[in-house]
Amino acid sequence: MASDRIVVVGHAAVTCLGTDLDRTWQRLVAGESGLARHPERLDPGQYLQDIAGLVEGVGPGTDREDPTIARLGSRFVHFGLLAARQAWAEAGLDRVRDELPSDRVAVVVGSGLGGMDLYHAESRRAAGRKTLATGPYLVPGLIANQAAGQVAQQLGLHGPSLSPANACATGGHAIAHAALLLRAGEADLAVCGASESAFTPEIVNGFVTMKALMGRKPGDRAETDPGQASRPFSADRAGFLMAEGAGILILATETAARRLGLRPIAGLLGWATNSDGFHVAQPNPDRVRRCLELAIAHAGLHPEQIDYYNAHGTSTTVNDRVETEAVKAVFGEKAKDLPVSSIKGAVGHALGAAPAIEAAVCVRALREQVIPPTINHRPDPALDLDFVPGQARSARLDRVLSASFGFGGTNNALVFGRWTDA
Amino acid sequence: MPDPQLFDAVCGLIRSVVKLDAEVPMTPDSTLVDDLGVDSLDLVSVFLEVQDAFGVVIDEEDLTGIVSVGDLVAYVAERRASQAA
């Protein structure tokens, strides 16, 4: 049904702040950082940066490893399934299992880089062998659609399955395309989002080399407090800090939600995706601006009706400047009054999973009527927006906009609304 | 009767790869596929782990002859002996 509204009935996140959204949110609004130095996992002899946002206590090899996927050693698969199980439980979908045809539930769970950690580990093992054999679970664990595959397999879902790989905009694309499937009548529900864990020396060092990821900086404030390494929109921002995790939403058509007795948490009012057509890694200011405009228009709104902008805000020199300019261009005079924050100061940059984590946080922000802060912020005279520095803020939030931009010139923006039955 | 130490080591490895409960009995006659439920991918994992752990190479053409745990232990023992010779 084309006119059917799309609602969020489950939201979950696995981050370096916590292995569920409740804990992540609690620490986020407390202004804490999940970034820390991890020399045991990220050996400084191999990695150009050992400050990272690692998820601890869950995943392969831990006491809380999911036994159903124990053979798959790639962390992104474990995080994706964990978040999906959490969102599924929150939505209460097991209770309505008999009324929910499994082929009417889509799974759209992407990953920017897939199981690079497993690839790295298996490559090292294979190098020491007398034969050319590699582990039989390398390919199944590496492929970027395996998180989606395991969500479908373990939750018993048989509807359409997609796995976007749109770099750091992946999770947003997944949510937008899940919504498209619902709008097209291809499914009634969708488990959507993204998952990521790509800590290998090649990936981390590659990001450092291209000056996207902050390398070691003697004398930097992160040297004494690693929690201050990621500082979006700050004068001394010096690059993003890599993280891992997953974010999952469960979307439903309003009709399906009502039929099944599911409780909407928020509405997905609009979305947009577009391409820069410009550069391998640099954002295109005009296309970024256009993406924000398209999402607002798609929601049937005007810019002045947006109450909060959840920024991509990576803490890189270029992104934060371009994004600030885009916000000013879209919101005009209202821009200076618009609360803008990036949670990447607290959770780092989980690459493809970041937009999905941020979407889950936006849904929670609407429910709690609280804006999470941009931590570690030191004002940059050139970036003169209200970045909600340091402390969470209570506010009337009816509609929020969340945007993400990825290498390869891919942009995404989502508009969520506070849920009312009206 | 296979070397008990080698048998225990191979059994431990199979249990670890296939995530078998400790209660599942394993004897030299236990067949990998039918008795222990090892599927095709796990079977490759078991052979690979055995190769890595014991420093032997399992030839592709020999795989079909390894049906039971005892077969695998005997194969490893024979390979180690021939490599040592």
Side-chain angles (χ1 to χ4, degrees), chain A residues 176 183 268-274 287-310 323 325-332 334-335 338-340 398-403 405 411-417:
Chain A
R183 277 279 160 87
L268 176 58
L269 308 182
W271 57 87
T273 63
N274 71 354
R287 295 298 125 194
V288 166
R289 170 187 56 77
R290 187 67 184 140
C291 188
L292 304 185
E293 290 172 345
L294 287 170
I296 295 168
H298 188 251
L301 300 171
H302 299 291
E304 57 271 22
Q305 292 174 283
I306 299 294
D307 300 313
Y308 162 55
Y309 175 68
N310 179 271
E323 195 170 10
E325 288 167 5
V327 168
K328 286 180 171 180
V330 171
F331 292 90
K334 201 219 166 188
L338 178 71
V340 173
D398 286 325
R399 299 163 209 91
V400 304
L401 173 65
S402 183
F405 320 117
N411 308 312
N412 171 272
L414 305 168
V415 182
F416 293 97

Side-chain angles (χ1 to χ4, degrees), chain A residues 88 92-102 155-158:
Chain A
W88 186 267
L93 289 166
D94 278 336
R95 291 196 306 271
V96 296
R97 195 81 224 206
D98 294 345
E99 306 155 63
L100 179 63
S102 63
L155 296 179
L157 307 176
H158 304 103

Side-chain angles (χ1 to χ4, degrees), chain B residues 3-82:
Chain B
D3 168 4
Q5 250 187 325
L6 183 59
F7 176 76
D8 287 347
V10 170
C11 286
L13 211 142
I14 294 170
R15 282 188 194 283
S16 155
V17 171
V18 187
K19 318 288 180 196
L20 275 182
D21 287 340
E23 303 88 67
V24 176
M26 212 181 281
T27 70
D29 292 333
S30 303
T31 58
L32 294 164
V33 174
D34 292 332
D35 293 340
L36 302 179
V38 179
D39 73 13
S40 59
L41 288 184
D42 280 348
L43 200 56
V44 181
S45 275
V46 167
F47 292 149
L48 210 50
E49 292 291 336
V50 163
Q51 293 193 115
D52 288 352
F54 301 107
V56 297
V57 174
I58 302 177
D59 292 331
E60 190 77 25
E61 59 268 28
D62 295 335
L63 291 177
T64 50
I66 302 173
V67 176
S68 68
V69 177
D71 293 340
L72 182 56
V73 175
Y75 187 89
V76 172
E78 184 194 319
R79 276 294 169 136
R80 289 169 97 185
S82 66

Side-chain angles (χ1 to χ4, degrees), chain A residues 19-38:
Chain A
T19 55
D20 58 37
L21 183 57
D22 286 348
R23 182 71 178 142
T24 296
W25 175 258
Q26 187 183 38
R27 295 186 65 196
L28 196 56
V29 297
E32 294 180 30
S33 170
L35 298 181
R37 208 173 276 290
H38 294 277

